[in-house]
Amino acid sequence: MSLPHAILTALLEKPSSGLDLTRRFDKSIGYFWSATHQQIYRELGKLEAEGHIRALPAEQPARGQKKAYEVLPAGRAELARWTSASQDPKPHRDALLLRLRAAAVVGTAGLQADLRRHLELHRRQLAEYEEIQRRDFPPGDTGPQARLQHLVLRAGIELETFWTQWLTEALEELPVIERSSGGD
């Protein structure tokens, strides 16, 4: 996924200012595609220059007023083209997994505390996703937009469930590994 496509998606859901987009990224899209305030503003400028979005006319001209943007037909067409295009999955890169691999050759000192920290972070994220599911996706809401958004959320729930289970197993396995290797 690319940031311009994430922005086009968010603007099609609701025309917004750069600041509003940043806030929305923090609450939804940012769970799986993050961007800084500066990155969002830079992309808004590029998208506007490419004719994919435009600033909405201000209701009252005022200095320093937030510009709200909407998607133009060219932007919608670009998002539809990108959505329908084939894309291979990206290889997963995770520093924790690399650190575990390195621990196999240099020892496990310090890993248990960090595994516990990661487990707590994933538990919190899972709880947050489950709360969003309870709050925003009541049973019976079967509109296509809600169903697709819920599908994305369920992917997050499944990933966090995987990580909490895997980290729990890793923490159970670590003492066994340490005993068998002489306590590295």
Side-chain angles (χ1 to χ4, degrees):
M1 179 179 203
S2 69
L3 181 55
H5 297 103
I7 291 172
L8 288 171
T9 300
L11 289 175
L12 278 170
E13 291 172 348
K14 179 181 177 188
S16 304
S17 69
L19 181 59
D20 292 336
L21 281 172
T22 299
R23 290 178 180 146
R24 288 176 56 211
F25 265 68
D26 289 344
K27 293 179 184 174
S28 61
I29 291 175
Y31 287 122
F32 54 90
W33 193 264
S34 61
T36 66
H37 188 73
Q38 293 84 4
Q39 289 171 317
I40 289 171
Y41 273 94
R42 189 170 40 248
E43 288 301 326
L44 284 170
K46 289 177 186 176
L47 288 167
E48 190 172 25
E50 293 167 352
H52 291 163
I53 65 171
R54 71 173 179 141
L56 292 169
E59 292 175 14
Q60 300 174 11
R63 188 170 178 192
Q65 185 177 21
K66 296 187 301 187
K67 277 200 285 188
Y69 295 90
E70 69 177 351
V71 177
L72 295 171
R76 180 181 283 276
E78 167 53 23
L79 189 59
R81 181 210 58 79
W82 179 79
T83 301
S84 65
S86 177
Q87 187 175 27
D88 292 338
K90 301 280 186 227
H92 182 71
R93 294 172 55 173
D94 190 294
L96 179 62
L97 296 177
L98 181 57
R99 290 176 50 228
L100 286 172
R101 180 69 184 252
V105 293
V106 298
T108 59
L111 274 178
Q112 188 173 35
D114 201 40
L115 289 173
R116 288 188 192 287
R117 186 179 70 80
H118 276 258
L119 177 58
E120 182 54 32
L121 291 170
H122 285 288
R123 283 179 175 159
R124 276 191 253 154
Q125 190 64 65
L126 177 59
E128 188 173 342
Y129 286 166
E130 289 172 336
E131 175 56 30
I132 291 169
Q133 180 172 250
R134 277 189 292 280
R135 182 189 68 223
D136 296 347
F137 297 99
D141 190 356
T142 59
Q145 184 174 357
R147 289 181 73 175
L148 285 170
Q149 289 172 340
H150 191 200
L151 195 59
V152 172
L153 177 62
R154 287 185 9 233
I157 289 170
E158 291 297 323
L159 286 169
E160 294 304 327
T161 299
F162 161 78
W163 279 113
T164 57
Q165 291 171 349
W166 182 85
L167 285 160
T168 299
E169 291 172 19
L171 282 163
E172 291 169 357
E173 186 75 18
L174 197 57
V176 176
I177 294 167
E178 289 171 342
R179 280 194 301 275
S180 67
S181 67
D184 284 337

